[in-house]
């Protein structure tokens, strides 16, 4: 199967399950020592009063896990565009797919693309985030009213000898014009409603139906510790007061699940089954 066909299949499946929203926000700063003292009051509070503390705070006690996480797929799920996170060729390269030319380049510290907008007119867009990293990397652009769109021109991050290290279109076998539902400004390429919940931590959708706008927030850009464990404020307070023998303080206990499965009633995959400790 071609890489583009394989990726499109994954995107369609994931998009059909996850319907969420995003707008660029500033991540929550890690807790300080004084903030830790203030969290002692969280012990015994109901779940709705728990809050997220940030992965850097987790790393103060769990240094090895924090270091391993920084090299993981979860860490690279979504990042700000930098020289270390951007894999695509932005050295003033122009590519042409479906009769549309797109120019990728840098200006100062910004990553930019000149391509057709929703009306088919050439416009300059700034890359707001990278999305994924292997075997491909996509790029997110904020358009209007908090809508964030994923370009359907992606970077094949596989080695060159495997056919990678080049720009490609996710739907290369079908003519994609501004009127097509899979055009990058349309719903099927909308990051907000298709992918967000699986790629960021503590995502809050905040969709306003009155004007079709989004004001979605997250505590961390990528899939951080609390994306799976839940808010860690109570855990941190219990650790500070040596009360972890009474429980973890997390809403979500460590999973013994064998596999992760999607359910139509849920917006993200959940653990199902039990591990076989004999394996």
């Amino acid at each position: 199967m071609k890489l583009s066909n394989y990726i499109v299949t994954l995107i369609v499946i994931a998009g059909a399950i996850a319907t969420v929203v995003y707008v660029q926000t500033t991540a929550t700063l890690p807790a300080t020592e004084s903030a830790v003292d203030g969290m002692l009051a969280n012990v015994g509070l109901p779940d709705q009063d728990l809050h997220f503390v940030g992965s850097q705070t987790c790393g103060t006690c769990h240094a090895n896990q924090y270091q391993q996480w920084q090299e993981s797929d979860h860490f690279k799920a979504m990042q700000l565009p930098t020289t270390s996170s951007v894999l695509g060729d932005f050295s003033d390269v122009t590519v042409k797919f479906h009769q549309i030319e797109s120019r990728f380049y840098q200006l100062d510290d910004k990553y930019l693309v000149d391509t057709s907008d929703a009306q088919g007119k050439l416009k300059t867009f700034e890359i707001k985030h990278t999305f994924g990293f292997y075997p491909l990397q996509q790029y997110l652009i904020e358009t209007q009213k908090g809508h964030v769109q994923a370009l359907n021109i992606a970077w094949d991050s596989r080695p060159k000898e495997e056919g990678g290290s080049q720009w490609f279109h996710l739907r290369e076998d079908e003519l994609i014009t501004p009127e097509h539902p899979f055009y990058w400004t349309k719903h099927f390429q909308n990051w907000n409603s298709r992918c967000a919940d699986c790629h960021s931590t503590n995502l809050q959708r905040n969709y306003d139906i009155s004007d079709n706008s989004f004001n979605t927030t997250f505590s961390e850009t990528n899939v951080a510790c609390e994306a799976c464990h839940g808010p860690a404020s109570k855990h941190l307070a219990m650790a500070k007061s040596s009360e972890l023998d009474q429980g973890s303080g997390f809403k979500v206990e460590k999973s013994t699940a064998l596999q992760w499965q999607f359910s139509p009633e849920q917006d993200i995959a959940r653990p199902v089954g039990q591990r076989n400790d004999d394996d």
Side-chain angles (χ1 to χ4, degrees):
M1 180 183 291
K2 293 182 180 179
L3 177 62
S4 58
N5 293 339
Y6 172 75
I7 295 302
V8 167
T9 301
L10 293 180
I11 290 174
V12 170
I13 293 174
I17 298 165
T19 304
V20 289
V21 183
Y22 150 89
V23 80
Q24 184 180 6
T25 62
T26 303
T28 301
L29 294 175
T32 62
E33 188 68 20
S34 60
V36 172
D37 292 335
M39 289 174 188
L40 290 177
N42 287 334
V43 180
L45 288 180
D47 289 343
Q48 62 265 28
D49 293 324
L50 301 178
H51 59 272
F52 291 75
V53 302
S55 55
Q56 285 183 287
T57 301
C58 303
T60 58
C61 292
H62 305 283
N64 291 337
Q65 291 84 351
Y66 180 75
Q67 183 177 7
Q68 292 171 11
W69 168 72
Q70 289 180 306
E71 301 297 324
S72 71
D73 291 11
H74 284 166
F75 182 85
K76 300 173 184 177
M78 180 172 159
Q79 301 178 87
L80 292 172
T82 65
T83 54
S84 60
S85 66
V86 173
L87 303 179
D89 186 357
F90 280 79
S91 60
D92 201 1
V93 173
T94 298
V95 297
K96 186 176 182 178
F97 298 102
H98 305 309
Q99 304 173 11
I100 298 174
E101 287 191 348
S102 300
R103 176 191 172 212
F104 295 89
Y105 61 102
Q106 287 182 253
L107 184 61
D108 299 325
D109 60 345
K110 295 181 178 180
Y111 291 83
L112 305 171
V113 57
D114 294 345
T115 193
S116 297
D117 63 9
Q119 289 73 43
K121 297 180 180 180
L122 185 65
K123 186 176 179 179
T124 299
F125 298 94
E126 181 181 352
I127 304 300
K128 292 296 185 180
H129 286 95
T130 65
F131 202 59
F133 79 105
Y134 187 87
L136 84 162
Q137 185 173 75
Q138 288 184 263
Y139 300 93
L140 302 180
I141 293 171
E142 185 173 352
T143 54
Q144 58 183 350
K145 296 184 178 181
H147 290 252
V148 173
Q149 303 294 128
L151 281 176
N152 44 19
I153 300 174
W155 179 255
D156 188 336
S157 52
R158 298 174 302 167
K160 189 173 184 179
E161 55 269 23
E162 296 180 13
S165 299
Q166 61 178 330
W167 293 104
F168 74 103
H169 200 283
L170 293 176
R171 301 186 70 85
E172 59 182 16
D173 298 328
E174 185 177 358
L175 181 61
I176 306 297
T177 64
E179 296 76 31
H180 195 284
F182 280 99
Y183 188 66
W184 77 271
T185 62
K186 300 290 188 178
H187 173 69
F188 284 112
Q189 291 298 128
N190 178 244
W191 182 92
N192 309 65
S193 61
R194 311 294 289 182
C195 319
D197 206 27
C198 293
H199 282 253
S200 298
T201 301
N202 187 27
L203 192 90
Q204 304 297 318
R205 300 170 186 177
N206 299 330
Y207 173 67
D208 189 342
I209 194 173
S210 66
D211 62 355
N212 188 30
S213 66
F214 302 108
N215 184 30
T216 305
T217 61
F218 47 74
S219 58
E220 293 191 75
T221 306
N222 51 15
V223 182
C225 310
E226 293 164 292
C228 296
H229 291 284
S233 58
K234 186 174 181 179
H235 172 78
L236 195 62
M238 293 176 70
K240 182 77 173 181
S241 58
S242 301
E243 295 181 3
L244 288 179
D245 58 338
Q246 303 176 25
S248 70
F250 286 113
K251 288 177 61 178
V252 181
E253 296 296 336
K254 183 178 179 181
S255 173
T256 58
L258 176 65
Q259 57 186 327
W260 293 76
Q261 295 182 1
F262 285 107
S263 169
E265 295 80 22
Q266 297 175 331
D267 55 9
I268 194 171
R270 306 290 179 183
V272 176
Q274 298 290 324
R275 285 195 185 96
N276 185 347
D277 294 333
D278 296 332
D279 290 344

